[in-house]
Amino acid sequence: MRRVLSAVVLSVLAVGLPTAQAPKGWRFRADRSASASDPDAPGAIKFVTMGSGFHATNPQAAVYWNPANVAAGSYSIKGTFTLLAPSNHTNYYGLVFGGHDLEGPGQTYAYFLVAQDGTWLVKRREGDAVTNTVVPKTHSPAITTPDASGRSINELEVRVTPSAIDFVVNGALVNRWRDAGRVVKPDGIYGLRVNHFLDVLVDGLAVTRSAPAGPQQLAPATVTTTATVERRVSATAFTLGGAANGAGGATLVIAPALQRPVDRDAELTVFGEMATFDPAEIARKAKDYRVDLPADVAAQYRGRQVLIATSVVDQKMVDLTQRLPPPMTADEAALSALMKRISPAFAALGQAADGSSAGAAAQSAGTLSEAFADVEALWTKRERADAVAWAREARQQSQSIARAAGSGQWDQVKPAISTLGQQCQACHAAYRDPFADGSFRIKVKEQ
């Protein structure tokens, strides 16, 4: 549940889809990637009726909804998703719920997604520029991955009750989030989200407005609970009011990776798995961790269910299990400032290319060329030949884009933008070290 500070620029507002095949009453909103290392694909989004369902082709990520589709109280949303071909990298798709102001700057919604690598997650959007991962990327054997033909089919379901939200894949309960209403508001519009580089069929999208039945009685593979800290019992353990397993009473949370103390009465969202407390069992589940409970607490909870947490998120959506960054060096501060120039210029370049705006494209490409020249100089000083080469290639690609845009050669501009993104992606993979607060440091590499 790492905090995600998104630099997404929303360049396409919600619109009525114009084609004759468009699902009646449906709207969409796309968000353009502002990441030079993960650019969108060229082309326009297509969302059409296909049989009894829909077909979404997404060069950019998008949310789809019909304003008439609203669910509140206890309900279940279900849909079957067929991924037609694997993406060139991991991208997610699935159900949206609790949507509000989806066409405006105050858009909010929650979403439950799966990916071709067999993982799922739950996220929350707040406004145009911020998304938070509230239940982290987690592998589940219940998720079907692409077969030899490249296709995979997964039925997703979100089950909402007053006490919890259940997340179900192909009939298997992968997570129960108790008191989720403290973090997300599930009443609202429901729909779909498909991220970029994906081609997906959706069928059987429907809501049942009643108390869900079925797998919620089974033990989930993972649990999430939002509750208030009752007391801190050690450097890596604390108790929460209420029980993650629904049995009542306080829940003992053991968080082997906890990086900073939790405060009494603080509201936290904790993700992990339930286990019967036994020091040997805990050691098997959390390698290199030594239980640090006081003897009386260990005796009190022996043989009882405890929550072994892998994420502990505070109200600011900061994961307290993630390491804190060291102070920035001068080079890191300089590189951070350059990235803040590059990201908006890259997003603006993509918009200009889509609109065939030569002047805007040339201006953005010029900004990128100057910034990459500074990046090249920084890496030259640090004697990192691979990073110097990537920055030089990015600078040269930016200059080529400016020339091609100036002469109206748009068929050359878009592939060049993709190549430019690949240079950024290579450098980020090698040298960008991410931290929980959304910042980055230069990754240490052996000479």
Side-chain angles (χ1 to χ4, degrees):
M1 282 190 285
R2 180 188 300 266
R3 187 183 184 191
V4 178
L5 300 180
S6 174
V8 168
V9 176
L10 295 177
S11 59
V12 183
L13 296 179
V15 295
L17 296 172
T19 69
Q21 291 179 295
K24 183 178 180 181
W26 281 75
R27 300 170 181 265
F28 81 99
R29 181 169 184 159
D31 39 283
R32 174 176 297 284
S33 172
S35 171
S37 63
D38 188 19
D40 292 326
I45 288 172
K46 297 178 183 178
F47 185 59
V48 299
T49 300
M50 181 70 70
S52 60
F54 315 110
H55 183 189
T57 305
N58 281 53
Q60 300 91 41
V63 172
Y64 304 96
W65 76 96
N66 185 326
N69 291 344
V70 177
S74 292
Y75 65 84
S76 171
I77 301 170
K78 184 183 294 187
T80 299
F81 295 78
T82 301
L83 180 66
L84 296 178
S87 170
N88 60 1
H89 61 294
T90 301
N91 282 299
Y92 287 83
Y93 55 94
L95 297 169
V96 166
F97 61 101
H100 295 275
D101 192 26
L102 296 183
E103 298 186 53
Q107 59 168 331
T108 60
Y109 55 87
Y111 43 125
F112 171 44
L113 311 177
V114 297
Q116 67 195 36
D117 64 352
T119 61
W120 60 272
L121 51 74
V122 180
K123 301 187 74 172
R124 178 185 71 177
R125 177 176 285 282
E126 296 181 280
D128 284 356
V130 177
T131 61
N132 301 119
T133 300
V134 289
V135 183
K137 174 180 176 178
T138 304
H139 184 269
S140 172
I143 298 172
T144 301
T145 55
D147 59 19
S149 72
R151 289 194 173 202
S152 57
I153 302 174
N154 287 287
E155 182 187 75
L156 306 187
E157 187 174 4
V158 175
R159 299 180 169 191
V160 177
T161 65
S163 62
I165 299 178
D166 286 351
F167 300 99
V168 181
V169 180
N170 297 320
L173 180 58
V174 297
N175 183 265
R176 171 168 296 145
W177 183 359
R178 294 193 177 277
D179 283 335
R182 296 192 187 189
V183 179
V184 298
K185 305 304 178 187
D187 291 358
I189 295 170
Y190 65 90
L192 314 167
R193 181 172 176 90
V194 179
N195 285 349
H196 67 180
F197 289 94
L198 291 177
D199 194 6
V200 177
L201 299 178
V202 185
D203 203 7
L205 181 67
V207 64
T208 302
R209 293 177 176 85
S210 62
Q216 79 265 24
Q217 300 302 321
L218 303 176
T222 62
V223 297
T224 305
T225 187
T226 299
T228 302
V229 175
E230 285 194 342
R231 65 180 178 127
R232 181 185 174 198
V233 297
S234 75
T236 60
F238 53 92
T239 61
L240 292 176
N245 61 5
T251 299
L252 176 65
V253 177
I254 298 175
L258 196 65
Q259 299 292 307
R260 63 216 89 161
V262 300
D263 297 324
R264 183 176 180 179
D265 296 327
E267 183 176 281
L268 302 176
T269 297
V270 181
F271 169 86
E273 63 175 302
M274 302 303 299
T276 300
F277 178 69
D278 175 79
E281 178 66 15
I282 301 300
R284 282 193 294 271
K285 291 181 175 293
K287 294 181 179 180
D288 301 322
Y289 170 68
R290 183 176 180 179
V291 175
D292 61 353
L293 294 177
D296 61 329
V297 176
Q300 177 186 354
Y301 280 92
R302 185 177 292 276
R304 293 173 57 182
Q305 289 283 290
V306 299
L307 175 54
I308 303 176
T310 54
S311 291
V312 179
V313 176
D314 66 15
Q315 287 183 291
K316 294 180 180 179
M317 299 306 299
V318 174
D319 189 344
L320 304 181
T321 68
Q322 299 296 325
R323 59 200 176 106
L324 291 171
M328 277 191 177
T329 65
D331 282 350
E332 287 168 338
L335 193 58
S336 177
L338 287 168
M339 293 302 107
K340 290 175 182 176
R341 287 169 55 193
I342 289 170
S343 287
F346 185 84
L349 177 60
Q351 294 178 48
D354 285 346
S356 300
S357 175
Q363 181 179 2
S364 297
T367 298
L368 289 171
S369 177
E370 293 173 1
F372 284 123
D374 292 339
V375 173
E376 184 179 350
L378 185 150
W379 287 117
T380 299
K381 182 180 72 172
R382 293 182 68 95
E383 299 181 340
R384 296 296 181 179
D386 52 356
V388 170
W390 290 320
R392 182 183 299 121
E393 176 65 20
R395 172 174 57 81
Q396 293 170 348
Q397 284 291 337
S398 300
Q399 294 168 348
S400 297
I401 290 168
R403 291 192 295 270
S407 59
Q409 297 175 302
W410 298 107
D411 59 329
Q412 297 181 21
V413 169
K414 292 181 179 179
I417 291 175
S418 178
T419 301
L420 174 59
Q422 291 170 10
Q423 306 307 312
C424 295
Q425 188 174 33
C427 193
H428 289 180
Y431 287 105
R432 190 167 68 169
D433 194 7
F435 286 84
D437 63 354
S439 69
F440 300 91
R441 299 294 184 268
I442 295 174
K443 187 183 296 183
V444 177
K445 291 184 66 179
E446 295 295 331
Q447 290 281 13

